[in-house]
Amino acid sequence: MLVLGHHGCAEVSHRCDSAMKPLSDFNLRIIAALADNSPGVALCASLTAIALAIQSAEEVLFGRSWLEALVIAILLGTAVRTMWTPGQRWANGIAFCAKTLLELAVVLLGATVSASMVFEAGLPLLAGIAGVVTASLIVSYGLGRSFGLPHRMAVLIACGNSICGNSAIAAVAPIIGADGEDVATSIAFTAVLGVAVVLGLPILAVAWQMNPHNFGVLAGLTVYAVPQVLAATAPISSVSAQIGTLVKLVRVLMLGPIVFVLSILEVKNRETPAAAAPAVTAGERPKSGRPALHQLVPWFIVGFLGLVVMRSVGLIPTRILAPISLVANGLTIISMAALGLGVDIRAVAKAGPRVIAVVTLSLVALGGLAMTLIGILRIS
């Protein structure tokens, strides 16, 4: 039987207090972080809820959503920012939503991608899609720079047009150190043209008397989002919808390699602030000197690729893919609301004419490249 005296008890108590202190400090930091972030997070979540409600109302009234909740969220955030500038109380939570939640959404996106999707398309078409995306990136970036757009915005527009619209813009933004205004401007104009493409492509298909396979490839290579591909191809035929969706999924897979390359090429740009408050969308600024591996390849890209591998080898159960996709979409919408809250609408309006010209011409060039690929492969 162990008997402790007064001093023994005091010593044990002191040791327990010392052992518990780090845990207590950690808990206090967590509580403090939650307290600092909660007002801004609540604001972004509220705008997200409104955006989702508007999208649902569109679906009820028109049978489809012409503007997705992601776009509506950033427009709502921009509208709020135009009328009211959030103070320091809100800043931490807004920055958390715009950066950390956005990066987490990119990671979760990897769970929805499987290597088997690539092989189903066939090697000639696969190589053609990669070639079209690469050529479109070069042409779009060249147009952006020739029109005098800043480097970061030109990259965002090129990636948005060439790969997958809003998702590509959101994924590339932290890689290149883009600020909220660049992201908001790029998304705003690609969103408008995205709707125009969905409405216009079926008309072109009929006017050009395209067969369902050809039209599916054209839609998959030019429409920004997978749901928009379905909306554009469904009026033509189910074959167009199936081909278009498959081509679009392969095109989305190009996001991983492109972001990986940009993460290596854009290290200096991530170090250089793009605006007065670059932390809204940019990653941590690396110190000068030779960058470490985690600075060359951001953590969320590693996470994205890791989940792609896990999905490909069957480690992610099929039943949880839908919930993962739902969470990733929700986090992205919250992030877009946060980005909107960091936008000065006057700067967006100033950049408008040049940006819309670049986006429009880039989209036309992408359509021309897609038609060239269809002709080369003689798809029938």
Side-chain angles (χ1 to χ4, degrees):
M1 184 176 188
L2 179 63
V3 179
L4 294 176
H6 174 73
H7 295 290
C9 290
E11 184 177 353
V12 171
S13 177
H14 175 72
R15 290 179 179 175
C16 290
D17 290 342
S18 298
M20 293 297 292
K21 191 175 187 304
L23 181 59
S24 177
D25 291 343
F26 176 76
N27 290 336
L28 289 175
R29 287 197 297 271
I30 293 295
I31 294 173
L34 291 175
D36 288 341
N37 291 339
S38 58
V41 172
L43 176 60
C44 295
S46 298
L47 293 178
T48 297
I50 296 173
L52 290 170
I54 293 175
Q55 178 179 289
S56 298
E58 288 182 88
E59 293 170 352
V60 171
L61 294 174
F62 307 113
R64 67 176 65 173
S65 55
W66 298 105
L67 284 180
E68 298 176 357
L70 186 148
V71 177
I72 298 171
I74 201 167
L75 294 177
L76 287 175
T78 303
V80 171
R81 176 65 175 80
T82 302
M83 297 180 291
W84 168 66
T85 302
Q88 187 57 43
R89 178 190 177 195
W90 314 86
N92 290 337
I94 294 173
F96 172 78
C97 291
K99 178 179 182 294
T100 306
L101 294 188
L102 177 57
E103 293 172 346
L104 183 57
V106 173
V107 172
L108 294 177
L109 186 64
T112 66
V113 177
S114 172
S116 62
M117 296 177 182
V118 180
F119 301 114
E120 291 176 4
L123 289 180
L125 181 56
L126 174 61
I129 294 170
V132 167
V133 170
T134 302
S136 177
L137 283 169
I138 295 171
V139 171
S140 296
Y141 178 78
L143 284 170
R145 296 299 284 163
S146 67
F147 273 76
L149 296 185
H151 166 72
R152 289 180 175 93
M153 186 174 291
V155 171
L156 290 179
I157 291 175
C159 291
N161 260 1
S162 305
I163 306 174
C164 51
N166 301 332
S167 298
I169 292 171
V172 169
I175 297 292
I176 65 174
D179 62 27
E181 290 176 358
D182 288 340
V183 175
T185 303
S186 304
I187 285 181
F189 289 114
T190 54
V192 172
L193 283 184
V195 174
V197 170
V198 169
L199 297 175
L201 272 185
I203 297 175
L204 290 179
V206 174
W208 294 345
Q209 298 181 340
M210 298 184 70
N211 66 55
H213 287 82
N214 286 355
F215 180 64
V217 173
L218 176 64
L221 285 172
T222 54
V223 178
Y224 293 139
V226 174
Q228 291 179 336
V229 171
L230 294 175
T233 54
I236 301 300
S237 75
S238 59
V239 172
S240 296
Q242 293 167 4
I243 297 295
T245 300
L246 178 59
V247 171
K248 176 60 188 173
L249 288 174
V250 175
R251 184 175 157 213
V252 169
L253 289 177
M254 291 293 294
L255 180 60
I258 295 300
V259 169
F260 178 80
V261 171
L262 286 176
S263 69
I264 296 175
L265 298 179
E266 297 285 335
V267 172
K268 290 185 178 180
N269 278 325
R270 289 202 299 276
E271 295 175 354
T272 306
V280 170
T281 56
E284 295 181 0
R285 306 296 181 192
K287 297 180 180 179
S288 59
R290 186 175 180 178
L293 179 62
H294 75 276
Q295 294 169 339
L296 288 174
V297 185
W299 73 270
F300 56 93
I301 299 304
V302 176
F304 172 87
L305 296 176
L307 286 185
V308 170
V309 172
M310 292 176 64
R311 168 75 190 282
S312 300
V313 299
L315 294 180
I316 300 178
T318 305
R319 65 179 181 276
I320 69 171
L321 293 179
I324 288 176
S325 180
L326 187 63
V327 171
N329 184 60
L331 292 178
T332 303
I333 297 173
I334 293 175
S335 300
M336 292 302 102
L339 291 180
L341 288 168
V343 172
D344 183 348
I345 193 64
R346 291 168 296 184
V348 175
K350 186 184 298 184
R354 291 181 300 162
V355 174
I356 197 166
V358 171
V359 174
T360 303
L361 291 174
S362 298
L363 189 58
V364 172
L366 177 60
L369 290 168
M371 292 300 294
T372 301
L373 176 62
I374 291 172
I376 292 174
L377 297 180
R378 296 184 182 276
I379 299 172
S380 62

